[in-house]
């Protein structure tokens, strides 16, 4: 008993000394997936924390191989009617061959690429003591601390959004000077030069095996504090700097590409001007006080991060390193404070990989060590890019949503060409994936590429942004044109099913899944797959609901067309076994545990399933979900994250929590990155959004507090979550029941709040800025 008390006392003592939200380790990163991410939306790094030899792997968000290329198959529209005829006749294999031959472009997306590595070698630091490596989520700073002899070294690395610069700041409390060799390298297609005695320049052009040349890039590294003892070629001939510092060394790194940082800048800056930004930003930081640079970064970072605070209990476990806490969860221990840290880590990653005028967060967010990344670290819009932004509005990071909107708007011009060339339709369309140049063509195989509703799904984010913020200017100028042009495509594209008279999409598929026909053929392409129908219905409903907000009446000709199509659209269908159908008819499933659960879109992120108002549909959805899991579904990180959201919407706290635990056990790397495998960041964002969904939901002008609160989080609080209707919500709870709810109204809308089916207030008038306090 005494030993147990001592262990508990030690944990409590260590935990009390920890910042509330940080990751910490007692050893450097041995491999990339253990390194710690920093970023300012555009410029990022993975910090390994080595004492004698530090590696900071670098990324710039617009460093891509490839270029803008017309991928549309000419004349494809001439074959559309025949493809549909074959599919309606049940000749799936023949139809799929036709679609593959006439519609699909080659799969030649090129990859987002690493910028390179910043390497530091500290002379005489081979035997560090009292080592500590941390990532402070609230400050946005990765630090490495250790002792050499009587001197303590603290190395901080951060990427400032305010200054657009990455900083390495090393402090030593000893009296003796220290020596650091500094290098800037890249594994391919780059050259390092010495600009002056304090500055290195790395430059090159992205490509893939000397093919598909992409953006040119440049990065500068300058010594801001410390004396340069020597500059010139190292043993390998690559220029390096040797810095001699007493007390402090500070380095500044900038980078730019010919693309221009962010979709919004792509058309505004000539390539030469975009590259010049790196030098301008470096010169602007030179001569500045490093402490002032740090303070500006921390202030800017906290302005976003501090909007939300969360406590799920279990603080004592902060006394354990993060990797050991993960090990405990893998042994089926509950660590609610780690879940809270995971949620805040999701918000941190979004802040670090998606800021106004940056590129949107890609499959790896911002962090990618490859020349040829898995799935090119591109923009998959058949769930992955959308999942990256599920957290943005509810997590009180609305401005971090901006790069997503910029990207979707960049899809529209290409999407109009694709709609006309492939389908003979007006409006715009985009398929399952894209890249920095926003192509919209179906590429590769029909097994994943013949899916024309990716763009339509993206439009729902514009609607969500409006429902959370009430920004009428955004609705009028950005959301409405995107929605209407997408709907214009589907009004042309939808076709009447000869057997039912219902409007269906096609040729299309259920993302990346297959079915087996009655004659044993495994196929992918069909007419009217469930997800298509649900996304199109969502699009049409959004237009009908938002039209009055812009003073557009029911008699408007376009609105009448949308309403008419909506009433004729094939809706959800339930199979003979009680499950929701994934395709337009019952098929055998070759992969009954498939990672995609596309036919459940209407549950989440859609909002067409209500456990009270639609009991039959709820039952069919639940059975589909449970069956998919019984057959092995949820085996990838992002898929498991989606499942958390599903069960939260079904008001099933036990299964939502179990799946969050499963994600931590099976699909989380030592640095808390999501493991697909390999690393994919969508699971981080999706699971963090799932935690928010367990604590707060807001639909049909009603806020539901603690809709899926698990027993493992029995006492706690969350402050700063956002709700549709323009509300900011704080919730405190004890023993599974809310004790105080504070709702601040940003828009002055009426307020309705419920908990477990009990109304706590109904249609209560509010004023802009008013905070309503409820004590159930």
């Amino acid at each position: 008993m005494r030993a147990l008390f001592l262990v508990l006392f030690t944990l409590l003592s260590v935990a009390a000394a920890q910042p509330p939200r940080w990751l910490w380790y007692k050893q450097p990163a041995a491999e990339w997936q253990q390194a710690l991410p920093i970023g300012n939306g555009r410029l990022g790094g993975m910090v390994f924390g080595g004492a004698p030899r530090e590696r900071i792997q670098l990324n710039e968000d617009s460093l891509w191989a490839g270029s803008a290329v017309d991928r549309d198959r000419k004349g494809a529209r001439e074959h559309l009617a025949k493809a549909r005829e074959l599919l309606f006749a049940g000749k799936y294999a023949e139809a799929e061959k036709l679609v593959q031959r006439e519609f699909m472009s080659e799969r030649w997306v090129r990859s987002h690429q690493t910028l390179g590595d910043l390497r530091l070698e500290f002379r005489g630091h081979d035997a560090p003591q009292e080592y500590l490596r941390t990532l402070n989520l609230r400050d946005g700073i990765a630090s490495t601390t250790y002792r050499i002899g009587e001197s303590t070294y603290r190395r901080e690395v951060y990427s400032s959004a305010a200054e657009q610069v990455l900083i390495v700041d090393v402090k030593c409390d000893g009296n003796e000077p220290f020596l650091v060799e500094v290098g800037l390298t890249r594994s391919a297609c780059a050259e390092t030069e010495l600009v002056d005695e304090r500055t290195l320049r790395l430059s090159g052009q992205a490509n893939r095996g000397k093919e598909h040349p992409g953006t040119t890039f440049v990065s500068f590294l300058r010594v801001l504090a410390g004396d340069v003892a020597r500059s010139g070629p190292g043993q390998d001939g690559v220029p390096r700097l040797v810095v001699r510092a007493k007390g402090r060394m500070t380095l500044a790194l900038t980078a730019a590409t010919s693309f221009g940082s962010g979709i919004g800048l792509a058309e505004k800056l000539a390539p030469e001007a975009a590259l010049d930004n790196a030098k301008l930003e470096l010169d602007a930081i030179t001569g500045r006080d490093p402490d002032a640079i740090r303070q500006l970064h921390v202030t800017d970072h906290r302005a976003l991060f501090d909007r939300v605070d969360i406590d799920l209990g279990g603080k004592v476990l902060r006394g354990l390193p993060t990797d050991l806490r993960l090990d405990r969860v893998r042994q089926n221990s509950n660590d609610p404070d780690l879940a809270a840290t995971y949620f805040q880590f999701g918000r941190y990653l979004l802040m670090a990989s998606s800021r106004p005028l940056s590129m949107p967060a890609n499959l790896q967010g911002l962090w990618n060590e490859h020349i040829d990344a898995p799935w090119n670290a591109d923009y998959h819009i058949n769930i992955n890019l959308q999942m990256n932004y599920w957290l943005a509005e509810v997590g009180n990071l609305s401005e971090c949503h901006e790069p997503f909107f910029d990207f979707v708007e960049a899809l529209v011009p290409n999407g109009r060409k694709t709609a006309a060339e492939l389908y003979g339709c007006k409006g715009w369309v985009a398929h399952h994936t894209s890249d920095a140049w926003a192509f919209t063509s179906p590429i590769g195989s029909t097994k994943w590429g013949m899916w024309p509703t990716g763009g339509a799904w993206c439009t729902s984010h514009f609607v969500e942004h409006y429902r959370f913020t009430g920004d009428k200017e955004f609705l009028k100028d950005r959301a409405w044109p995107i929605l209407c042009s997408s709907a214009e495509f589907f009004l042309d594209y939808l076709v009447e099913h000869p057997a039912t008279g219902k409007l269906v999409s096609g040729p299309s598929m259920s993302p990346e899944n297959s079915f087996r026909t009655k004659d044993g053929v495994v196929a992918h392409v069909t007419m009217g797959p469930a997800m298509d129908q649900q996304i199109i219905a969502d699009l049409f409903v959004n237009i009908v609901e938002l039209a009055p907000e812009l003073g557009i009446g029911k008699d408007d000709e376009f609105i009448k067309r949308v309403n008419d199509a909506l009433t004729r659209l094939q809706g959800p269908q339930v199979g003979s076994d009680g499950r929701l159908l994934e395709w337009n008819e019952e098929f055998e499933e070759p992969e009954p545990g498939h990672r995609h659960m596309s036919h459940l879109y209407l549950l989440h992120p859609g909002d067409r399933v209500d456990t009270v108002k639609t009991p039959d549909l709820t039952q069919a959805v639940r059975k589909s979900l449970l069956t998919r899991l019984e057959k092995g579904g949820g085996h990838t990180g992002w898929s498991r994250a989606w499942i958390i959201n599903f069960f939260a919407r079904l008001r099933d706290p036990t299964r939502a929590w179990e799946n969050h635990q499963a994600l931590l056990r099976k699909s989380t790397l030592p640095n808390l990155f999501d493991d697909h495998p390999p690393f994919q960041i969508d699971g981080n964002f999706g699971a963090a959004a799932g935690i928010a969904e367990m604590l707060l939901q807001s639909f049909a002008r009603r806020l539901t507090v603690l809709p899926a609160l698990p027993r493992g989080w029995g006492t706690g609080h969350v402050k700063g979550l956002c709700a549709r209707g323009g509300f900011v919500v704080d919730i405190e709870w004890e023993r599974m029941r809310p004790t105080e709810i504070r709702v601040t109204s940003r828009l002055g809308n009426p307020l309705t709040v419920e908990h477990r089916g009990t109304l706590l207030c109904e249609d209560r008038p509010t004023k802009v800025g008013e905070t309503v306090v409820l004590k159930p």
Side-chain angles (χ1 to χ4, degrees):
M1 181 64 71
R2 177 178 173 79
L4 180 61
F5 174 79
L6 288 174
V7 170
L8 183 59
F9 178 79
T10 301
L11 280 175
L12 285 168
S13 299
V14 176
Q18 310 300 326
R21 293 291 165 241
W22 75 340
L23 315 186
W24 71 281
Y25 308 83
K26 290 186 175 182
Q27 68 285 331
E31 51 190 358
W32 190 87
Q33 57 264 38
Q34 296 174 0
L36 297 174
I38 58 166
N40 63 14
R42 182 185 69 85
L43 179 63
M46 292 290 286
V47 184
F48 283 65
R53 283 167 291 280
E54 170 68 286
R55 177 192 176 196
I56 303 170
Q57 184 268 315
L58 304 167
N59 283 111
E60 204 279 348
D61 65 358
S62 59
L63 205 168
W64 279 72
S67 58
V69 179
D70 181 5
R71 290 174 167 86
D72 292 335
R73 293 294 299 272
K74 307 306 177 187
R77 62 181 178 271
E78 304 300 329
H79 303 275
L80 182 60
K82 181 63 177 179
R84 288 172 166 175
E85 177 188 325
L86 291 170
L87 290 169
F88 282 136
K91 299 178 180 180
Y92 297 103
E94 187 177 346
E96 191 157 345
K97 288 179 181 177
L98 173 65
V99 172
Q100 181 67 54
R101 184 176 66 248
E102 303 296 343
F103 286 81
M104 306 305 297
S105 300
E106 291 183 24
R107 188 187 184 188
W108 31 280
V109 181
R110 298 282 69 85
S111 183
H112 175 257
Q113 296 187 350
T114 179
L115 173 62
D117 286 350
L118 170 56
R119 302 272 186 169
L120 309 176
E121 185 168 346
F122 292 79
R123 307 282 176 84
H125 289 206
D126 293 298
Q129 296 178 304
E130 299 174 15
Y131 179 93
L132 178 65
R133 178 169 65 104
T134 70
L135 176 63
N136 188 316
L137 303 181
R138 186 175 181 232
D139 290 347
I141 296 176
S143 66
T144 305
T145 306
Y146 55 88
R147 184 170 55 82
I148 299 293
E150 299 300 317
S151 299
T152 298
Y153 289 82
R154 179 175 177 82
R155 183 190 316 149
E156 293 188 337
V157 188
Y158 58 91
S159 187
S160 168
E163 304 285 6
Q164 290 298 302
V165 63
L166 186 149
I167 296 290
V168 180
D169 197 19
V170 183
K171 292 182 179 179
C172 173
D173 64 3
N175 294 320
E176 294 298 318
F178 58 93
L179 287 175
V180 187
E181 185 175 289
V182 181
L184 196 56
T185 64
R186 191 175 193 261
S187 62
C189 309
E191 179 183 9
T192 304
E193 303 168 278
L194 187 65
V195 178
D196 57 47
E197 64 176 11
R198 303 182 73 85
T199 309
L200 294 174
R201 180 181 189 267
L202 175 73
S203 60
Q205 183 172 20
N207 63 33
R208 184 172 182 259
K210 297 185 179 180
E211 296 179 349
H212 309 291
T215 58
T216 53
F217 60 89
V218 64
S219 179
F220 291 95
L221 177 73
R222 179 169 291 168
V223 179
L224 297 186
D227 297 323
V228 178
R230 183 172 60 83
S231 58
Q235 292 182 351
D236 57 2
V238 177
R240 287 177 172 78
L241 305 175
V242 177
V243 181
R244 178 184 175 90
K246 186 174 181 180
R248 186 173 204 168
M249 178 192 76
T250 306
L251 307 176
L253 182 139
T254 61
T257 78
S258 55
F259 188 93
S261 178
I263 292 291
L265 290 178
E267 298 176 359
K268 297 178 182 178
L269 292 177
E272 297 79 11
L275 288 169
D276 286 345
N277 277 346
K279 184 64 164 55
L280 293 172
E281 288 158 355
L282 186 71
D283 290 343
I285 207 79
T286 302
R288 298 268 300 281
D289 177 9
D291 289 332
I293 297 169
R294 184 188 190 278
Q295 185 57 53
L296 185 61
H297 160 73
V298 170
T299 300
D300 173 79
H301 186 87
R302 288 184 178 180
L304 273 67
F305 188 85
D306 283 355
R307 292 174 184 174
V308 176
D309 181 57
I310 185 170
D311 182 353
L312 300 177
K315 296 178 185 178
V316 63
L317 293 174
R318 291 178 188 171
L320 290 175
T322 304
D323 48 349
L324 297 186
R325 294 175 75 175
L326 267 178
D327 287 343
R328 290 184 75 259
V329 173
R330 293 187 183 107
Q331 296 166 13
N332 295 318
S333 293
N334 180 33
D335 189 341
D337 187 67
L338 184 61
T341 298
Y342 190 96
F343 171 78
Q344 291 287 48
F345 184 57
R347 295 182 66 246
Y348 169 87
L349 292 174
L350 188 60
M351 291 169 54
S353 63
S354 184
R355 292 282 194 109
L357 291 182
S358 77
M359 303 286 279
N362 63 39
L363 281 176
Q364 295 189 191
L366 174 62
W367 302 278
N368 166 32
E369 69 171 339
H370 303 283
I371 296 294
D372 215 359
W375 297 283
N376 303 297
D378 65 11
Y379 301 115
H380 270 55
I381 55 174
N382 65 356
I383 187 172
N384 312 93
L385 181 60
Q386 291 92 335
M387 184 181 283
N388 283 359
Y389 288 91
W390 286 351
L391 181 63
E393 302 296 339
V394 68
N396 212 334
L397 294 173
S398 190
E399 56 268 73
C400 294
H401 216 161
E402 284 291 329
F404 179 95
F405 303 136
D406 294 342
F407 179 72
V408 177
E409 288 172 334
L411 291 172
V412 173
N414 289 332
R416 290 187 185 279
K417 296 175 184 176
T418 300
E421 190 66 54
L422 267 65
Y423 304 109
C425 295
K426 298 177 183 178
W428 74 280
V429 65
H431 292 77
H432 94 287
T433 195
S434 190
D435 65 5
W437 293 274
F439 77 85
T440 53
S441 313
I443 65 164
S445 171
T446 54
K447 295 178 183 179
W448 55 74
M450 194 59 198
W451 189 68
T453 45
W457 185 348
C458 290
T459 68
S460 68
H461 282 249
F462 287 74
V463 178
E464 285 291 86
H465 181 73
Y466 173 70
R467 287 176 175 158
F468 274 90
T469 66
D471 186 340
K472 282 284 182 69
E473 184 176 345
F474 177 88
L475 173 63
K476 177 178 178 291
D477 296 338
R478 301 186 72 179
W480 190 250
I482 285 278
L483 289 163
C484 291
S485 185
S486 181
E488 192 175 32
F489 169 78
F490 287 103
L491 291 173
D492 274 2
Y493 173 75
L494 291 169
V495 64
E496 190 174 285
H497 195 296
T500 65
K502 295 289 187 179
L503 293 179
V504 294
S505 67
S508 186
M509 62 174 306
S510 191
E512 303 184 26
N513 205 354
S514 61
F515 57 88
R516 183 175 286 113
T517 64
K518 294 176 182 178
D519 55 1
V521 173
V522 174
H524 309 84
V525 176
T526 185
M527 297 297 294
M531 189 184 219
D532 275 22
Q533 301 298 120
Q534 294 168 19
I535 289 174
I536 297 165
D538 207 28
L539 171 65
F540 288 170
V541 167
N542 285 336
I543 286 174
V544 171
E545 289 183 350
L546 290 175
E549 302 278 338
L550 296 173
I552 302 172
K554 296 180 180 179
D555 294 334
D556 179 88
E557 288 300 319
F558 180 72
I559 301 302
K560 287 196 291 186
R561 288 178 64 207
V562 171
N563 248 325
D564 177 65
L566 182 60
T567 60
R568 298 169 58 206
L569 193 67
Q570 175 65 62
Q573 301 177 82
V574 179
S576 58
D577 63 355
R579 290 185 297 153
L580 196 70
L581 289 186
E582 186 164 357
W583 296 277
N584 201 27
E585 56 184 295
E586 290 194 61
F587 287 120
E588 183 182 340
E589 299 169 273
E591 294 183 72
H594 198 271
R595 62 193 176 279
H596 282 263
M597 304 183 193
S598 304
H599 54 314
L600 304 187
Y601 171 94
L602 77 175
L603 171 63
H604 184 280
D607 61 358
R608 306 306 172 193
V609 178
D610 187 303
T611 55
V612 175
K613 296 179 181 178
T614 59
D616 293 341
L617 185 58
T618 300
Q619 184 176 354
V621 164
R622 181 184 292 275
K623 186 168 185 180
S624 296
L625 177 55
L626 293 176
T627 301
R628 186 63 60 94
L629 291 176
E630 289 168 4
K631 302 296 184 180
H635 51 277
T636 65
W638 65 262
S639 182
R640 184 73 65 182
W642 201 2
I643 293 165
I644 299 167
N645 288 272
F646 285 147
F647 281 121
R649 287 280 174 94
L650 289 171
R651 311 292 171 86
D652 189 335
T654 300
R655 287 193 172 95
W657 178 81
E658 288 173 349
N659 278 279
H660 188 268
Q661 290 290 98
L663 181 137
L664 291 175
R665 287 199 311 271
K666 300 177 181 180
S667 300
T668 301
L669 294 165
N671 62 359
L672 296 192
F673 269 173
D674 174 71
D675 194 16
H676 179 283
F679 161 56
Q680 241 180 241
I681 206 166
D682 40 19
N684 285 105
F685 295 132
I691 292 172
E693 202 75 31
M694 295 164 74
L695 301 177
L696 176 69
Q697 295 178 23
S698 55
F699 301 101
R701 298 182 175 85
R702 175 175 297 191
L703 277 60
T704 302
V705 297
L706 309 180
L709 181 70
R711 293 195 176 278
W713 303 349
T715 296
H717 73 252
V718 65
K719 299 177 181 180
L721 292 183
C722 292
R724 295 167 185 86
F727 299 105
V728 181
V729 184
D730 302 346
I731 311 167
E732 296 184 19
W733 65 92
E734 293 180 6
R735 298 178 182 180
M736 303 295 294
R737 299 193 63 83
T739 55
E740 182 175 280
I741 303 161
R742 301 174 65 87
V743 183
T744 300
S745 177
R746 289 175 167 173
L747 303 175
N749 285 326
L751 176 65
T752 298
V753 180
E754 68 154 351
H755 174 251
R756 293 184 181 176
T758 300
L759 285 174
L760 305 181
C761 72
E762 185 174 13
D763 288 333
R764 185 195 186 285
T766 69
K767 298 178 181 179
V768 174
E770 179 185 3
T771 297
V772 177
V773 180
L774 303 172
K775 296 190 176 183

